[in-house]
């Protein structure tokens, strides 16, 4: 805020007329001086009668002549004094929520005085101790450019309400995840506003930039650019008694099924007993709570220890990993003993298990497509011989191997991203006893496709099995219901099938056409929350609905597809296939497998946080829907927020109904979220059409800012010294740094001649005449 | 007036019974035909359709296809069409299935442009053609059919040449471990094939596989197999089963999971 300068008293002074050049003034004065010297010197040496009179009259005449040439004026002016512009950069990072020196030992963050309270006191003290009428402007720094605060003395509000678009207004309540002083100073330098004459940094010193390794030259450069000294005031000088996870890092990228090392740095300060600290890494999941990935023990020496844990994540996508350390006795800040990471797990190749109950053209078509795709690693087992087969050959003449059903569906099952059961009888192939495990696998995040045929679905023994729980369809319970319908038919597109992104590429090729299917497995209704893309044109379920033929849906962490026909190979070998160069088959299976693997191309919507989540701070989720949802006749959508894993708070589910959007309206809407407790969360967008999209994210109370709660007084001191500033502790009596003097500025000026020029000329002429008369009387020429 | 004697009365009863049973028989025939039509699970079955092209009027052995299906279903879990059909090369139905086989003895007439276009469409979708020389001599010399078939296929696929399949090609281990191809005649020790993208498009046999499979309605084999007799016929059937399995499973047996077992078994069969 610009301080209104004070107005000074009126001042008057004499000066020569401004139209006289300097050389003329100088020449006039020099000639006058020479004249006087000559006049007075000669006359006084002469000592004759009248010489004194001659000297006196001559002197007056010279002076009058000089005045006539110089024509003096009177200048009247008013002055004002403008104080130096001083920029106060207040640290607004989350580390300022940590306890201050008053509370460094023994109090929780909820009740203690925080560093931000000390910061506010410092700002108030600066204002009151402002002896130089300095113009203070207060900015906050944390992440990104410096942000102006309303005023020095305005008290911060506890929460800043979000705007309707989810963004917050810049204010003191912006709790930054970083303390980036360098970027803040750079933004000041690049600003077009008046540059400050001094900078005061109020912080705890725990800065991300400049970091602790910055040299004096680098620190000096920060002030040199702005040509201003940087004075620093430390809000805190004492480290709390604390043990914390200081840093978590891993090199490279995380790839599914591939172990990667997590490097964890643990630190202890104060009087905390920290000889041996156990650290555990867990993955938080939507169903099944949390899964321990690795555990280890750190032995801090001189307050720090580094621990390497090897973890393996089996599912691609955003995974929430919790790193927790045991809280030692005396730890006054337990909130920084748990960290949550969002690990984006890439998938080198999709690893898929394809088991077929018998070799058919449908099996051939799928295998050929899978093997053509370099991004898919297929492990295939086809049952080539049944118990009744009479091969007429010894084992040595057969190229057959035993089907390792037990190994595949126990130890090796988690290594697969998806399983395809292709016309596969569970009972005759020994799979029955593994169906519960397979169901758990799907709920834990795996993908499942059940492809029809005479030995699939009810015919394959799945109707009353544990696997039925994770299929997107139910089974008909009536005893007289046949297990298959052998009548040929052409599947019909459902309304959802016409809009679902995963079959859009197929529809782009075949339109509404689909080939004739030679019958279908008889299945029941689509379960609530699941989706049917194809249905039987004539067959009805017991509820009267069209029997689904292709259905899919989310099952816990995983997804499942039910395809109740074995005729998709007809998208290749048929008149339709010939017309479309068999591209329809690739398009269909690319969509099915892509949807199963959560390929963003086939998701009905995308979810995005409006900013990184800070615990207990309101946020927003931007929902961007595809036209598939927008144009759907049943476009109701619900956003659910669920806490992941076993957390101290009960499993919390928030629900928000999204307003129905008129057609052609913008596809994005932002939902305001309240502050969430620390932990991992899953946001799920569920449409009444059965489609879902999800986002995993983590909210931390202090994040990196609380990882190391030690203030860094030394760094603030070095910064001040390097830039020519001064250093103070917040507890010092006087915080006023030396500031430049105010600048005096004339605000009002009048120039008026003392007498008109003709008067000066007349007087000079008269005095010259008197001097001439006097000289004549004295007998001089 | 004398009444009709007893034999005359018996004749009337028989007539009545025949007339009464006739519709029953007709219905039974219809039902049988219905059951034998392709149904759920049969559409994707192995279907050894005979290809009619180049002036041919039918396959060299009309019973070979059915026997092929029979042997496949007996020995493996693969389904097969029990009543295989024939299809003309210029028929749009050619692209309804992924496999056809061509057999004959006489020289083929040049394929028409429509036949060539249709066959190219078939291969473009991933179809497989078996060309089986039924007129091959006992010492393996190709017949006019064999020579002309290669010429005509070269017109359909002009940018590829047949190559000899190596003994470790997956075709020889899709179900049985087959050491060398054999048919009605012993023929050459290798099979030729046109391969594209690692997959067989056309397979040439100079072994008269159909001759070894042809099985008469009386229940006996139609052709002698020389020089190995019934043991050789068994190996011919195994080759036919392997070809069918290749059609249904593609290169499944090339997967690494099978490698250790197959290498051990091949080593065992190669031991003197």
């Amino acid at each position: 805020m610009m301080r209104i300068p004070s107005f000074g008293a009126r001042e008057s002074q004499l000066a020569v007329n401004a139209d006289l050049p300097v050389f003329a003034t100088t020449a006039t004065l020099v000639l006058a001086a020479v004249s006087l010297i000559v006049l007075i010197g000669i006359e006084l040496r002469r000592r004759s009668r009248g010489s004194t009179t001659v000297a006196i009259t001559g002197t007056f005449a010279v002076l009058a002549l000089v005045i006539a040439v110089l024509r003096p004026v009177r200048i009247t002016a008013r002055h004002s004094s403008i104080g130096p512009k001083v920029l106060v950069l207040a640290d607004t990072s989350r580390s300022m929520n940590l306890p201050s020196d008053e509370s460094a030992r023994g109090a929780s963050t909820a009740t203690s005085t925080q560093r931000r309270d000390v910061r506010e006191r410092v700002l108030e003290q600066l204002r009151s101790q402002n002896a130089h009428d300095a113009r203070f402007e207060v900015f906050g720094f944390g992440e990104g450019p410096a942000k102006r605060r309303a005023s020095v003395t305005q008290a911060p509000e506890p929460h800043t309400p979000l705007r309707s678009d989810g963004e917050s207004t810049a204010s003191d309540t912006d709790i930054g995840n970083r303390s980036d002083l360098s970027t803040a100073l750079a933004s000041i330098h690049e600003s077009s506003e008046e540059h400050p004459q001094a900078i005061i940094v109020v912080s705890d010193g725990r800065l991300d930039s400049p970091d602790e390794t910055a040299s004096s030259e680098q620190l000096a450069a920060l002030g040199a650019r702005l040509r201003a000294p940087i004075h620093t005031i430390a809000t805190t000088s004492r480290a709390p008694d604390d043990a914390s996870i200081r840093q978590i890092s891993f090199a490279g990228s995380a790839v599914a099924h591939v172990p990667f090392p997590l490097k964890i740095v643990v630190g202890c300060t104060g009087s905390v007993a920290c000889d041996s600290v156990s650290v555990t890494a867990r993955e938080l999941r939507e169903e099944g709570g949390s899964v321990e990935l690795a555990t280890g023990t750190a032995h801090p020496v001189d307050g720090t220890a580094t621990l390497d844990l090897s973890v393996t994540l089996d599912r691609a996508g955003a995974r929430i990993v919790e790193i927790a350390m045991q809280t030692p006795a005396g730890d006054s800040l337990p909130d920084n003993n748990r960290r949550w990471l969002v690990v984006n797990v890439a998938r080198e190749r999709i690893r898929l298990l394809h088991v077929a109950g018998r070799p058919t053209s449908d099996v051939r078509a799928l295998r050929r497509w899978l093997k053509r795709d370099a991004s898919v690693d297929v492990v295939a087992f086809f049952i080539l011989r049944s118990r009744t087969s009479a091969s007429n050959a010894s084992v040595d003449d057969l190229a057959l191997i035993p089907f390792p059903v037990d190994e595949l569906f126990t130890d090796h099952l988690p290594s697969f991203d998806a399983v395809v059961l292709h016309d596969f009888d569970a009972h005759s192939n020994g799979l029955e006893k593994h169906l519960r495990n397979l169901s758990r696998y799907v709920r834990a995040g795996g993908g499942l496709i059940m492809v029809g045929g005479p030995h699939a679905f009810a015919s394959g023994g799945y109707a009353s099995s544990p696997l039925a729980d994770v299929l997107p369809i139910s089974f008909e319970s009536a005893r007289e219901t046949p297990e298959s319908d052998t009548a040929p038919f052409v599947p019909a597109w459902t309304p959802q099938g016409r809009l679902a992104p995963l079959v859009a590429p197929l529809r782009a090729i075949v339109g509404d056409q689909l080939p004739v299917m030679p019958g279908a497995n008889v299945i029941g209704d689509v379960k609530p929350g699941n989706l049917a893309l194809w249905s039987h044109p004539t067959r009805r379920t017991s509820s009267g609905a069209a029997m689904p033929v292709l259905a899919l849906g989310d099952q816990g962490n995983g997804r499942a597809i039910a395809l109740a026909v074995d005729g998709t190979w007809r998208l290749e070998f048929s008149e339709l296939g010939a017309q479309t160069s068999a591209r329809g088959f690739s398009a269909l299976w690319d969509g099915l497998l892509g949807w199963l693997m959560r390929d963003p191309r086939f998701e009905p919507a995308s979810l995005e946080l409006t900013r990184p989540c800070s615990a207990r701070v309101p946020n927003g989720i931007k929902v961007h829907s595809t036209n598939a949802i927008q144009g759907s006749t049943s476009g109701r959508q619900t956003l659910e927020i669920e806490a992941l894993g076993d957390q101290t708070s009960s499993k919390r589910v928030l629900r928000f109904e999204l307003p129905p959007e008129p057609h052609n309206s913008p596809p994005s809407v932002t939902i305001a979220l309240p502050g969430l407790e620390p932990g991992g969360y899953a946001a799920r967008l569920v449409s009444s059409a059965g489609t879902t999209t999800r986002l995993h994210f983590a909210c931390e109370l202090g994040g990196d800012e609380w990882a190391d709660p030690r203030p860094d007084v030394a760094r603030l001191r070095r910064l001040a010294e390097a830039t020519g500033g001064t250093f103070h502790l917040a507890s010092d009596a006087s915080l006023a740094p030396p500031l430049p003097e105010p600048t005096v500025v004339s605000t009002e000026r009048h120039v008026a001649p003392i007498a008109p020029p003709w008067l000066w000329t007349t007087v000079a002429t008269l005095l010259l005449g008197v001097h001439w008369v006097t000289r004549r009387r004295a007998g001089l020429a | 007036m004398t009444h009709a004697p007893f034999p005359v009365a018996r004749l009337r009863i028989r007539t009545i019974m025949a007339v009464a049973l006739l519709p029953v028989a007709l219905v039974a025939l219809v039902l049988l035909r219905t059951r034998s039509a392709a149904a759920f699970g049969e559409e994707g079955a192995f279907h050894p359709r005979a290809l009619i092209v180049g002036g041919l009027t039918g396959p060299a052995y009309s019973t070979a296809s059915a026997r092929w299906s029979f042997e496949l279903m007996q020995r493996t879990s693969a389904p097969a069409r029990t009543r295989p059909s024939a299809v003309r090369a210029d028929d749009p139905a050619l692209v309804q299935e992924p496999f056809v086989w061509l057999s004959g003895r006489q020289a083929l007439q040049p394929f028409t442009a429509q036949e060539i276009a249709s066959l190219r469409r078939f291969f473009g979708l991933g179809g497989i053609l078996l060309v089986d020389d039924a007129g091959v001599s006992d010492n393996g010399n190709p017949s006019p059919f064999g020579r002309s078939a290669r010429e005509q296929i070269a017109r359909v696929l002009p940018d590829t040449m047949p190559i000899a399949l190596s003994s470790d090609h997956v075709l020889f281990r899709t179900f049985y471990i087959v050491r060398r191809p054999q048919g009605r005649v012993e023929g050459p020790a290798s099979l030729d094939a046109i391969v594209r993208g690692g997959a067989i498009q056309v397979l040439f046999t100079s072994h008269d596989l159909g001759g070894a499979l042809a099985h008469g309605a009386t229940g006996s084999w139609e052709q002698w197999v020389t020089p190995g007799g019934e043991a050789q016929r068994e190996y011919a059937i195994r080759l036919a089963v392997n070809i069918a399995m290749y059609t249904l499973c593609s290169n499944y047996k090339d997967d690494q999971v099978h490698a250790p077992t197959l290498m051990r078994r091949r080593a065992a069969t190669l031991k003197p």
Side-chain angles (χ1 to χ4, degrees), chain A residues 358-361 364 367-368 371 380-386 389-393 395-401 453-454 484 486 518-521 566 569-570 572-575 577-578 582, chain B residues 39-41 43-45 74-79 92 95-98 121-122 125-128 173-177 234 238 245 247-253 255 257-258 261-262 265 269:
Chain A
R358 52 183 198 153
T360 63
S361 294
R364 172 188 188 251
R367 177 182 170 82
R368 287 178 66 228
K371 293 300 274 187
F381 285 92
F382 302 159
I383 307 301
L384 302 183
R385 185 173 66 159
S386 65
S389 298
S391 306
N392 200 31
V395 169
D396 287 338
D397 287 342
L398 292 171
L400 304 180
I401 61 172
S484 60
T486 58
N521 294 93
D566 65 349
W569 65 282
R570 286 289 187 201
E572 287 187 328
F573 284 94
S574 63
E575 191 54 37
Chain B
F40 186 47
E43 273 283 315
Q74 282 291 107
R75 296 164 182 251
T76 77
S77 63
V95 297
Q96 297 287 342
E97 302 269 356
R121 212 161 62 136
F122 172 75
L125 298 178
I128 299 174
R173 46 190 165 83
T174 55
F175 188 82
Y176 291 103
I177 296 176
E234 171 62 23
R238 291 183 181 186
M245 281 301 196
T247 302
L248 295 174
C249 301
S250 183
N251 62 348
Y252 163 61
K253 282 297 177 180
D255 286 356
V257 68
H258 303 280
T261 305
L262 293 178
R265 289 187 187 160
T269 57

Side-chain angles (χ1 to χ4, degrees), chain A residues 358 362 420-424 448-460 462 471-476 482-492 514-526 531-537 539 541 546-552 560-569 588-589 592, chain B residues 39-43:
Chain A
R358 52 183 198 153
D362 202 44
V420 179
L421 297 178
H422 204 145
D423 189 20
F424 196 82
L448 172 70
I449 305 178
M450 183 171 288
V451 182
H455 307 295
F457 294 95
S459 309
Y462 298 99
L471 288 173
I473 48 88
S474 58
F475 288 91
E476 299 285 47
E483 292 177 341
S484 60
D485 184 335
T486 58
F489 71 100
V490 175
L514 285 171
V516 175
M517 299 291 165
N521 294 93
V522 173
I523 54 179
D525 292 306
V526 177
L531 192 62
L533 304 183
W534 295 346
S535 64
H536 199 285
R539 192 170 184 89
T541 64
M547 186 186 85
V549 171
L550 171 60
L552 45 84
I561 296 173
L563 176 61
V565 290
D566 65 349
T568 57
W569 65 282
L588 171 66
W589 280 95
L592 292 179
Chain B
F40 186 47
E42 292 183 16
E43 273 283 315

Side-chain angles (χ1 to χ4, degrees), chain A residues 358-437:
Chain A
R358 52 183 198 153
T360 63
S361 294
D362 202 44
V363 171
R364 172 188 188 251
L366 181 56
R367 177 182 170 82
R368 287 178 66 228
W369 178 75
L370 290 170
K371 293 300 274 187
R372 274 201 297 266
D373 192 339
S375 68
V376 179
D377 175 20
V378 180
V379 175
F381 285 92
F382 302 159
I383 307 301
L384 302 183
R385 185 173 66 159
S386 65
R387 287 202 179 94
T388 57
S389 298
S391 306
N392 200 31
S394 68
V395 169
D396 287 338
D397 287 342
L398 292 171
L400 304 180
I401 61 172
F403 175 51
V405 60
D406 293 334
E407 291 167 295
L408 282 176
F409 290 94
T410 53
D411 299 333
H412 294 294
L413 187 59
S415 71
F416 296 109
D417 295 302
V419 173
V420 179
L421 297 178
H422 204 145
D423 189 20
F424 196 82
D425 190 301
H427 176 69
S428 61
N429 293 309
L431 183 60
E432 240 175 356
K433 58 183 179 294
H434 300 296
L435 291 180
R436 188 170 303 282
N437 198 36

Side-chain angles (χ1 to χ4, degrees), chain A residues 20-359:
Chain A
L20 202 62
V22 173
F23 79 88
T25 306
T26 309
T28 303
L29 291 172
V30 167
L31 284 172
V34 169
S35 299
L36 285 174
I37 291 168
V38 168
L39 179 67
I40 295 170
I42 290 176
E43 293 301 326
L44 289 181
R45 196 183 301 152
R46 221 165 35 97
R47 295 183 188 274
S48 62
R49 189 172 55 93
S51 59
T52 306
T53 307
V54 168
I56 292 171
T57 57
T59 300
F60 278 114
V62 168
L63 289 175
L65 201 60
V66 167
I67 291 173
V69 171
L70 296 183
R71 291 167 291 142
V73 296
R74 181 185 300 281
I75 300 176
T76 308
R78 282 188 193 278
H79 301 284
S80 60
S81 154
I82 298 179
K85 178 174 176 178
V86 178
L87 202 141
V88 180
L89 284 172
D91 192 339
T92 56
S93 66
R94 285 200 270 178
S95 66
M96 301 305 286
N97 295 327
L98 288 169
S100 66
D101 287 345
E102 297 158 15
S103 311
R105 292 184 167 85
S108 70
T109 53
T111 58
S112 63
T113 306
Q114 296 171 326
R115 296 177 189 180
R116 60 200 303 251
D117 299 321
V118 175
R119 179 193 67 205
E120 297 307 312
R121 277 210 309 268
V122 164
L123 294 177
E124 175 56 32
Q125 197 171 338
L126 282 173
R127 188 197 68 82
S128 63
Q129 292 179 357
N130 184 9
H132 292 267
D133 285 339
R135 293 171 291 139
F136 283 111
E137 287 188 34
V138 181
F139 283 71
F141 77 90
E143 287 177 275
K147 292 177 186 150
R148 188 186 299 275
R149 284 175 53 148
S151 74
V152 172
T153 56
Q154 182 178 3
E157 294 172 7
H159 290 298
T160 303
L162 291 173
R163 295 203 303 241
S164 59
D165 61 0
E167 295 296 319
S168 67
T169 57
S171 76
D172 188 49
T173 60
D174 285 344
I175 305 300
N177 291 311
R178 283 172 56 80
S179 304
D180 191 346
L181 179 61
S182 301
T183 301
L185 289 171
S187 67
I188 299 297
H189 171 69
E190 287 156 13
S191 164
S192 57
E193 294 185 6
E194 178 191 354
H195 279 189
Q197 290 169 282
I199 297 169
I200 302 175
V201 173
V202 183
S203 172
D204 61 358
R206 183 55 55 189
L207 304 173
D208 289 294
S209 178
D211 62 24
E212 55 202 1
T213 63
S215 65
S216 298
E217 289 75 26
Q218 287 168 322
L219 294 175
L222 292 175
R225 227 174 3 173
L226 286 163
R227 295 198 191 112
I230 299 178
H231 308 280
T232 56
I233 300 175
T235 58
T236 323
S237 58
R238 284 208 307 259
D241 296 330
D242 179 58
S244 66
I245 296 173
R246 293 265 173 95
Q247 189 182 28
I248 305 170
S249 58
F250 57 92
S253 55
V255 178
H257 311 303
V258 178
F260 64 95
L262 274 182
K263 186 184 204 174
I264 300 166
V265 177
V266 167
C268 302
T269 56
S271 58
V272 175
C274 222
D275 299 323
S276 171
V277 176
S278 74
V279 179
T280 304
R282 291 208 298 259
E283 181 187 354
L284 305 186
R285 296 183 175 180
E286 285 186 49
E287 287 199 22
S290 60
V291 172
E292 185 173 301
L293 300 174
T295 188
T297 304
H299 301 281
V301 174
D302 293 336
T304 61
T306 301
L307 179 67
D308 289 313
L309 295 180
S310 178
V311 303
T312 305
L313 294 167
D314 289 329
R315 299 283 160 249
R319 300 287 139 205
I320 307 297
V321 176
E322 178 194 80
I323 312 290
M325 63 178 276
Q326 154 201 20
T327 301
D331 187 346
S332 66
L333 194 62
D335 291 315
N336 57 8
N337 294 357
R338 276 198 305 171
R339 299 293 307 272
W340 290 271
L341 299 182
V342 179
V343 181
N344 286 309
V345 183
R347 187 181 277 117
E348 205 170 36
R349 298 171 78 192
I350 299 172
R351 193 164 146 79
L352 187 139
L353 175 64
H354 181 200
V355 294
R358 52 183 198 153

